[in-house]
């Protein structure tokens, strides 16, 4: 079945038009009409060139899964602060096991770093956060989850294409449908690749002829490095360094898109919290505002955001990697941080949007888009423009 893969490449570009027109009048969060839709979808894949046996083995017997829809509507973990999330996820056990994994697989990591330029600490931090080093990869049937989300009205085009790529993974011979179990949203393997990334970046590093990100640690770790390299990882460069900051700064400059030479930050009073600060261009990053922990974020930190656009996840993953590389626990910052709940963040997002600031969806999650809107309003209102929402911001908005 692998011989059919080159013929299928153009299909990736062709399916979104089918997805949009085919779903517009029939999508449902309750699964009404799912069977008829799936039959039509399957027929279209075969007509477009996918092997009929791969389509049949992948999509026969699938049913709409309401549990997947509930998961999709109930995501709340990324509404936590960096301190809350990192405190829970970068724990003593993960640090210990992560260090053991690096030591036990030193030769493997050496070969991976030589080929892809990504340090073992960076790979292992992702490995630990995504699946506890392969111990918990998820038990949702991947093809059923993807088909459910492909039929749901919220993100149908995205997941119809992910479902297509999952079927292509079967056609390529990497995994059987029965092996494809993972997270509720269709991510696969020990570092949780969506099928589109699996199809493009998974590598056969153990030489057995399959790209197996569920069972093969060499394939998992090398594929993770390959994907990070594709996102722009710069070999030999830092990613995140903790710093101490003075009580007063032009806070509007503390923004991830604003990168300055390290010497300029030092001239403003930014100092290394531990050891020294690597040279280069870096952003002053305050994940919890001017009173919380402070970091210099280099180009490679942007790669984390390419992996996962959630600020709290990406900061935690990058921090985990610094701990594995020898950094001490992060400091508390310069004062008490006021952390608002998800309902307050949702109010702020709605109020900012009403005032002409693009705060993104009203989802209660404090991502980069919302922080940029917060910063813009803070500047207009004469508040310290660190992009961190607090009660003063809420009062100003009301």
């Amino acid at each position: 079945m692998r011989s059919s893969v080159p013929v299928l490449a153009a299909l990736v570009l062709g399916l979104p038009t089918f997805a949009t027109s085919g779903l517009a009048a029939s999508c449902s969060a309750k699964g009404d009409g799912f069977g008829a839709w799936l039959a039509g979808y399957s027929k279209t894949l075969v007509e477009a060139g996918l092997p009929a046996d791969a389509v049949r083995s992948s999509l026969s017997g699938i049913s709409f899964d309401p549990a997947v829809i509930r998961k999709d509507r109930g995501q709340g973990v990324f509404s936590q602060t960096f301190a809350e999330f990192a405190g829970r996820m970068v724990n003593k056990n993960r640090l210990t096991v992560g260090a053991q994994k690096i030591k036990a697989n030193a030769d493997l990591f050496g070969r991976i770093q030589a080929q892809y330029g990504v340090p073992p600490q960076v790979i292992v931090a992702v490995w630990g956060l995504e699946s506890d080093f392969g111990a918990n990869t998820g038990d949702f049937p991947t093809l059923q989850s993807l088909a459910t989300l492909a039929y749901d009205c919220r993100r149908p085009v995205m997941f119809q294409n992910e479902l297509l790529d999952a079927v292509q993974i079967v056609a390529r011979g990497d995994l059987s449908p029965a092996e494809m179990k993972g997270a509720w949203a269709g991510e696969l393997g020990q570092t949780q690749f969506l099928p589109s990334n699996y199809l493009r970046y998974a590598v056969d590093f153990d030489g057995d002829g399959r790209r197996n990100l569920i069972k093969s640690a060499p394939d998992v770790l090398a594929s993770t490095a390959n994907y990070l390299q594709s996102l722009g990882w710069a070999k030999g460069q830092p990613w995140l360094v903790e710093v101490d900051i003075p009580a007063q700064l032009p806070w509007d400059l503390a923004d991830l898109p604003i990168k300055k030479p390290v010497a300029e930050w030092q001239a403003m009073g930014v100092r290394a919290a531990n050891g020294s600060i690597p040279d280069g261009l870096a952003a002053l990053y305050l994940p919890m505002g001017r009173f919380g922990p402070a970091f210099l974020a280099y180009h490679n930190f942007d790669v984390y955001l390419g992996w996962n656009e959630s600020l709290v996840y990406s900061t935690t993953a990058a921090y985990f990697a610094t701990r594995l590389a020898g950094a001490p626990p992060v400091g508390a910052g310069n004062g008490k941080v006021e952390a608002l709940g998800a309902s307050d963040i949702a109010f702020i997002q709605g109020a900012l949007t009403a005032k002409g600031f693009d705060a993104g969806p009203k989802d209660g999650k404090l991502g980069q888009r919302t922080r940029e809107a917060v910063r813009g309003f803070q500047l207009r209102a004469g508040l310290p423009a660190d992009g961190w929402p607090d009660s003063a911001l809420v009062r100003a908005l009301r």
Side-chain angles (χ1 to χ4, degrees), residues 107 215 238 355:
D107 178 67
K215 296 295 185 182
K355 292 181 180 296

Side-chain angles (χ1 to χ4, degrees), residues 245 251 286-294 337 371 386-388:
I245 58 175
W251 300 115
L286 310 176
M288 297 170 62
R290 65 194 186 281
F291 296 126
V337 175
R371 291 196 64 163
D386 61 356
W388 183 254

Side-chain angles (χ1 to χ4, degrees), residues 119-342:
Q121 296 85 356
V122 171
I123 302 169
V124 169
V126 171
W127 195 19
L129 288 183
E130 294 287 1
S131 70
D132 264 335
F133 314 103
N136 182 19
T137 57
D139 57 6
F140 279 83
T142 299
L143 292 154
Q144 178 163 286
S145 293
L146 291 170
T148 297
L149 293 167
Y151 187 65
D152 180 40
C153 300
R154 196 163 84 87
R155 293 176 289 175
V157 174
M158 170 186 171
F159 282 104
Q160 286 202 18
N161 284 293
E162 292 296 340
L163 181 58
L164 161 66
D165 287 341
V167 175
Q168 292 195 74
I169 290 169
V170 174
R172 192 166 68 177
D174 290 335
L175 297 173
S176 69
E179 290 176 304
M180 298 175 78
K181 291 186 177 181
W184 64 266
E187 298 96 340
L188 279 164
Q190 297 183 30
T191 51
Q192 300 288 279
F193 276 33
L194 280 169
S196 56
N197 293 327
Y198 197 122
L199 194 64
R200 290 158 180 79
Y201 303 113
V203 296
D204 173 21
F205 211 70
D206 62 10
D208 70 350
R210 301 172 65 199
R211 304 161 184 84
N212 189 337
L213 304 192
I214 295 177
K215 296 295 185 182
S216 170
D219 289 3
V220 167
L221 302 175
S223 298
T224 302
N226 185 38
Y227 184 31
L228 290 168
Q229 183 191 60
S230 79
L231 292 171
W233 187 271
K235 180 179 180 180
Q237 297 301 307
W239 54 94
L240 196 68
V241 175
E242 187 184 1
V243 293
D244 292 326
I245 58 175
Q248 298 298 326
L249 273 174
W251 300 115
D252 57 303
L253 297 180
D255 192 8
L256 282 173
I258 301 176
K259 289 184 172 61
K260 295 179 173 293
V262 164
E264 289 193 25
W265 294 120
Q266 291 173 319
M268 296 182 205
V270 174
R271 297 290 180 262
N274 309 284
S276 59
I277 302 176
D279 288 333
L281 291 174
L284 180 59
Y285 175 40
L286 310 176
M288 297 170 62
R290 65 194 186 281
F291 296 126
F295 299 95
L296 286 181
Y298 295 76
H299 161 78
N300 279 339
F301 182 75
D302 297 337
V303 173
Y304 282 94
L305 290 169
W307 179 283
N308 189 315
E309 64 182 11
S310 163
L311 278 175
V312 69
Y313 177 92
S314 293
T315 308
T316 298
Y319 166 63
F320 190 0
T322 68
R323 294 295 311 279
L324 290 171
V330 66
N334 290 334
K336 185 178 179 180
V337 175
E338 185 179 6
L340 301 181

Side-chain angles (χ1 to χ4, degrees), residues 87-110:
R88 181 167 60 86
M89 301 300 285
V90 186
N91 54 46
K92 182 178 179 181
N93 180 66
R94 281 204 177 106
L95 288 166
T96 299
V97 175
Q100 292 170 345
K101 295 288 187 184
I102 293 171
K103 184 176 181 180
N105 297 280
D107 178 67
L108 172 61
F109 281 117

